[in-house]
Amino acid sequence: MITQQTIGFSQQTIGNQPVIMIENQFANATIALQGAHVLSYQKRDGTPLLWLSDQAKMEAGQAIRGGIPLCFPWFNKHPTITTLPSHGFARNLPWELMRVDAHEAGHKLVFELKSDEQTLTKWPYRFKAQLVVEVGEQLKLTLKVTNTDDKPFEFKFAYHSYFAIQDIHQTQISGLENTEFLDQLKPELGDQLTENDAIQCTAETDRVYHQAKGLYRIVEAGQQDILIQAANCPDAVVWNPWVEKTQRLGDMSAESWRSMVCVECGVMDKPHMLAAGDMTWFKMVLSN
Ligand code: TA6
């Protein structure tokens, strides 16, 4: 039940985007209704967990650069229809806020997106997607996908998380050592590349890891580690656009690649098959 009386919950707008502001004894968070998109999370006496571009477009229907975009029901380009938006349509559509509950561990919000005539023209399957966001000592996201159609479908998704760092040159990502990956910048090398050291970005980095372990750490000298737990997400992506791609993107300031890194979790390699009437879920827990 959504009532303004729910302590620590308020509705505002940023640019032209309606957002939910959460403030409790553990942390503050901001979530845009479009895409059920977590824009910010910061623990009391902590530092911002997520990076949000100072040039993010806050306009209805436009992808927001930063926070945790939810890519669904495909990842990267649509497999066959090039005119469709990259990373699916879920992040560009308004989700419905179904519930906000305040309890001893923080706030729990339930957002919902259901198929309709518009989505069916882009993806011919009936579905219900729910994103449960828990704002407490940790930030927890659980995506639940239900196949409400009478036929099976395959989907991909990503928690496309942009993390706030001080300096990419001082940052390493551990947890993906010896895990096979596809370098999206050199696809000709195939998807069985591996490295046995922690990742240090020294140029544009765009890697899709499969059969990943679901426990990753962003480590930067002098900063609190960022811990990413996503046990039932089979794949991971590490992305930093570096100089040239940043200039091409149009919603990132020139030097901002230095203070962000994406470590994404989800189903980005082989699609997940969901039988008619079935439901599946994927949980990610973030902390810093
Ligand atoms: O997850 C990495 C990636 O697929 C990159 O290739 C880059 O395209 C990035 O996502 C951002 O995509 P977007 O559509 O949000 O600009």
Side-chain angles (χ1 to χ4, degrees), residues 63-65 69 71 75-76 86-87 91 160 162 184 204 206 237-239 245 249 251 262 264:
I64 301 168
R65 179 74 59 199
C71 305
F75 181 75
N76 266 334
S86 161
H87 289 329
R91 66 175 175 171
H160 195 301
Y162 288 74
Q184 297 214 91
E204 180 179 351
D206 194 347
V237 165
V238 174
W239 179 59
K245 177 118 188 196
L249 284 174
D251 54 2
C262 284
E264 306 158 40

Side-chain angles (χ1 to χ4, degrees), residues 82-180:
T82 52
T83 52
L84 288 175
S86 161
H87 289 329
F89 48 71
R91 66 175 175 171
N92 300 335
L93 292 177
W95 289 48
E96 186 179 355
L97 178 58
M98 309 303 285
R99 290 185 62 85
V100 183
D101 296 299
H103 46 75
E104 69 286 344
H107 282 82
K108 183 174 185 177
L109 303 94
V110 180
F111 298 86
E112 197 167 277
L113 176 71
K114 285 195 268 196
S115 54
D116 61 15
E117 295 67 43
Q118 188 196 14
T119 66
L120 285 165
T121 63
K122 296 179 172 74
W123 195 60
Y125 303 101
R126 286 172 177 73
F127 70 90
K128 179 175 83 171
Q130 266 196 352
L131 185 68
V132 180
V133 180
E134 297 170 80
V135 179
E137 274 291 346
Q138 299 167 308
L139 175 62
K140 300 178 184 175
L141 278 69
T142 306
L143 172 67
K144 300 179 182 178
V145 180
T146 304
N147 179 341
T148 54
D149 211 316
D150 56 9
K151 53 186 180 291
F153 60 59
E154 288 186 343
F155 68 93
K156 294 184 182 182
F157 94 95
Y159 294 120
H160 195 301
S161 312
Y162 288 74
F163 292 102
I165 54 175
Q166 292 301 310
D167 180 354
I168 189 71
H169 297 95
Q170 306 297 325
T171 300
Q172 291 199 328
I173 298 130
S174 65
L176 288 161
E177 295 83 350
N178 306 311
T179 303
E180 289 186 350

